[in-house]
Structures are given as C-alpha cells and as structure tokens.
Amino acid sequence: MKSFVLSSDCDHLLADQHLRLLRLFGEKGIFITTAVVGKLETENSFLGRHCNKSDTAGLDNKVLRKGLIEAQAMGHEIAFHGSSQCSNTRETFIRGIEEFKQIFGDYPFTYIEHGPNPLTHKGFQESDCKLELLSIKGADIDSPYFIKDIIQEVFSACWTQEFLLSVDEIPKEKTGWIVSKDNINFINRMRMLDFVRFQKLSKKLNNENESFIGYTHFGYKGYFGPKRRIILDMFRTFFPARFEYWNGKHLEKNISEIRFFLDNRGFQSKTVKEFVLSN
C-alpha cells in the first residue's frame, strides 16, 4: 500500500490555530504527526526569540494539552519536540518525556529535533542551536546534554536535519524512508514544497511501494527554498508557496488537493508511527 505521511513542527502556532488545523485535516481523513515542545522558556537567545509564548503554544498550555489528547484519539500522532524550545540538559530532556507520558498515557513514539543545525544551516553558530542535537553534544557521553542513549531506548523513530531529503533523493521503496543507524530508526523527510514535483514523478512511476513523508511548519508564512527565498519572500503575500502556506483559502485548497491525491493515486494517510510500524 502506498503511504503518505504529513508531519509538522509546532513553531509559531498558538493553541487554537494548532487544534483547528488538526481538526480540519482529521475531518478529511488526513492524519498528522505534529511535533510539540513541552513548554516555552523565556530566554534571550536565538531559540528563545524564534519561538516564544506570544506566538507558540507547548504542552504547558492547558487548551493545547486537552485538544491534543482529543486529536490523538482522532488518529493524529503527537511527537516529542523537546522539553522546551531552548537547549535541554539530559535531566530536563528526561523530565519532558516523563511529563509527556503523564499527559498522553505512554512515551512518545517519535522524536523530532528542533531548531537549526550548524551542519545544514549556513550562518548559524553552535550557540544558536539546541545543544542536545545529536550533531552537537547529544552524542557526547561526557556532556550534560548527552541524550543519545535515551533516544535509543525510548523512541522508535527519530528525525534530525541530516535526514532532510532534496527532491532528487526520493526513495523508490517504502523502506528507503527509514535509516537504521546506531540503534536509532531515523526517518527521512522532504519539504512539502517538493510535494508538487513528487506528485508528477509518482504519476510516471506508478510504483505500488512508493511513499512520501512530508515536512512543513503549519505556523510559517511560507517557504520557497534557499535558492529562491530572498526574492520570493519579498512577494510571499502575493505568491504563497503551495503546501508551505496553511492559512485561509490556501489551507482549504491544500487539504482538498492532498485528499484528491490520496483518493486518485491509491495512497493511504499515515502518521510517522503508523508508517514505521507497517514496515
């Protein structure tokens, strides 16, 4: 069975916005893996300014917490996005996982790293990034930010920026979306910006084992890709990027087009958890 997975990170989504989106997708039978932080810290850093309580809600928000329990019952997956949007020590990371379990009744299946990665984001320094990233100090056993063993023991799926694919790297088989390394199941994701091209390629291939794991931010105002970003960002209100802008009529159009794709190409909507368990 062909699989379509749509995942989003919680950046710049307040509780009501977040829950409305999940409800609209759920009503159309499209189920999301949404990555959520435990809380929003007040910190004078890039991460503290990038997401804060004025524009983003975490699990410490009662409205979001209650709504996500209902969303999970509807069929959506709640992924772990860190204990907060800022750097988490090992102890803080563990505490966030335990609090997640108290809310949802079980440990999270999927862990999605948050924030920029100096290996993949030019111009960002280590101090701009979450120190528990596996590419920074998360794999350093001597660091207070060491969490690699926790990821190995607790999570069945993990995503880091190194596993963000370009449109030229689409796996031909379902198993190509999962990379097992160091006792961690890493998942590959592609930006929803590339979903337009994937649809065209899918029509030509007609492969019964093909899949797509999309990555977006429902709270962002659009993303055009690094090569076109500077010019198109100036006109983003006039030319919103398809599948990277989730507001107003564009939201309804995107959902309708995804539903049409699923119905006419033989794809089934799955969460990351469902996708991993089916392979």
Side-chain angles (χ1 to χ4, degrees), residues 14-15 17 30 32 59 65 78 84 95 124 143 162 175 204 223 242 245 249 271:
L14 294 172
Q17 296 172 296
I30 303 170
I32 311 300
L59 294 176
R65 191 163 61 240
I78 317 304
S84 74
R95 185 164 59 249
F124 284 94
S143 170
E162 294 94 319
T175 52
K204 293 179 180 179
Y223 179 79
R242 291 172 70 192
Y245 185 79
K249 63 180 182 180
T271 61

Side-chain angles (χ1 to χ4, degrees), residues 258-269:
I258 292 172
R259 185 66 261 174
F260 182 85
F261 171 80
L262 297 176
D263 293 337
N264 288 274
R265 299 285 183 82
F267 279 73
Q268 181 180 3
S269 174

